[in-house]
Amino acid sequence: MIFNRRVFLFAVLFWCWTFSFVPAQSASQAPVAAQGEHRKTSEPYTGDLSIFDSPGRDERLQINRVMDILGVTSGKTIADIGAGSGWFTVRAARRVGEGGVVYAVDINPESIRYIGDRAQKEKLKNVKTILGKADDPLLPAGAIDSVLLLKTYHEVSEPVALLRNLRAALRPGAKVGIIDRNGNGEDHGVGRDVVLHEAAQAGYRLLEHYDFVKGDKMDYFLVFTLKP
């Protein structure tokens, strides 16, 4: 009987000692990504660029309303980051006129060539192309009034660094628009909350948000400006 009690007492003491070394973790704590770990992104598109000029896209995205919100008006300087085929570039170029400039930025050399040829064919002398980097759009300092990343953000592998490096190019009061669809990063979409978090990390604050750019509400349109 004495032996059994000693065994029981020893077991209890051992359990208490072991448990005391287990770090407490609240159920509300979410796993923290390892330093340097990047979120999932979609592979940048490298196929036929003409598919972006599908009929009716202007109406589906309500691109004129988008440009109104971003202040794309005569004489302004605009950046189209992830310009692809230049679909938005040429529309913005017509809006800003000869007194304005549109920088078409892409990391794909084929897109840059395509947009250059397109601007020449459409006689848009106010379009300038930039072969950017994954973490830097390489835009001129203090030059940009408005920016649009149209269905591109989910492909950006260094989103926080890109937005941070964009800051120096922005004029006071500049607006940065991001149009994308909800997704997991790998399915040509990225969660709205992810964009909000990354933009905040890069020093931006949300100015306006809309969901009119897609009838099924899967797409969102976020407008940021620099934090004071």
Side-chain angles (χ1 to χ4, degrees):
M1 179 70 70
I2 294 174
F3 176 79
N4 289 340
R5 286 178 180 176
R6 286 177 178 174
V7 170
F8 176 77
L9 179 61
F10 177 80
V12 170
L13 290 173
F14 179 80
W15 180 86
C16 292
W17 176 82
T18 303
F19 183 78
S20 68
F21 284 89
V22 177
Q25 182 175 15
S26 168
S28 63
Q29 288 179 317
V32 178
Q35 187 173 3
E37 183 179 335
H38 300 297
R39 65 165 167 81
K40 295 176 180 180
T41 56
S42 302
E43 284 295 319
Y45 180 78
T46 55
D48 180 11
L49 293 170
S50 67
I51 68 165
F52 295 108
D53 290 86
S54 59
R57 195 180 188 202
D58 291 66
E59 290 73 24
R60 288 194 301 273
L61 287 176
Q62 299 188 49
I63 198 62
N64 285 323
R65 185 178 174 187
V66 169
M67 289 193 284
D68 288 343
I69 290 168
L70 292 177
V72 180
T73 55
S74 179
K76 297 292 186 178
T77 300
I78 312 300
D80 180 8
I81 298 179
S85 70
W87 182 86
F88 175 69
T89 295
V90 297
R91 284 155 177 78
R94 295 186 189 112
R95 271 256 192 153
V96 301
E98 294 181 0
V101 177
V102 178
Y103 289 97
V105 183
D106 208 286
I107 62 171
N108 181 3
E110 179 56 34
S111 289
I112 296 302
R113 287 191 291 270
Y114 189 96
I115 295 170
D117 291 343
R118 180 173 188 168
Q120 188 173 10
K121 290 176 183 175
E122 299 190 30
K123 296 181 171 52
L124 295 170
K125 297 180 180 180
N126 58 351
V127 171
K128 298 183 179 182
T129 57
I130 295 178
L131 182 61
K133 297 180 179 180
D135 62 352
D136 195 339
L138 300 177
L139 288 159
I144 307 300
D145 295 299
S146 301
V147 180
L148 181 62
L149 289 88
L150 175 59
K151 301 298 187 73
T152 296
Y153 195 82
H154 60 265
E155 296 180 357
V156 178
S157 61
E158 302 283 348
V160 176
L162 179 79
L163 291 175
R164 281 178 178 157
N165 287 323
L166 172 63
R167 290 170 58 97
L170 301 178
R171 288 178 175 160
K175 293 182 177 182
V176 177
I178 297 177
I179 294 177
D180 221 298
R181 65 179 294 277
N182 283 300
N184 63 16
E186 293 182 303
D187 59 353
H188 298 285
V190 59
R192 177 182 179 274
D193 289 344
V194 173
V195 180
L196 293 173
H197 176 69
E198 291 173 348
Q201 281 187 293
Y204 295 79
R205 66 179 179 88
L206 182 66
L207 193 63
E208 300 164 314
H209 60 94
Y210 305 91
D211 62 5
F212 65 80
V213 290
K214 195 70 174 290
D216 60 9
K217 309 299 183 186
M218 283 296 291
D219 286 13
Y220 50 81
F221 175 26
L222 307 176
V223 181
F224 298 94
T225 190
L226 289 176
K227 291 179 181 178

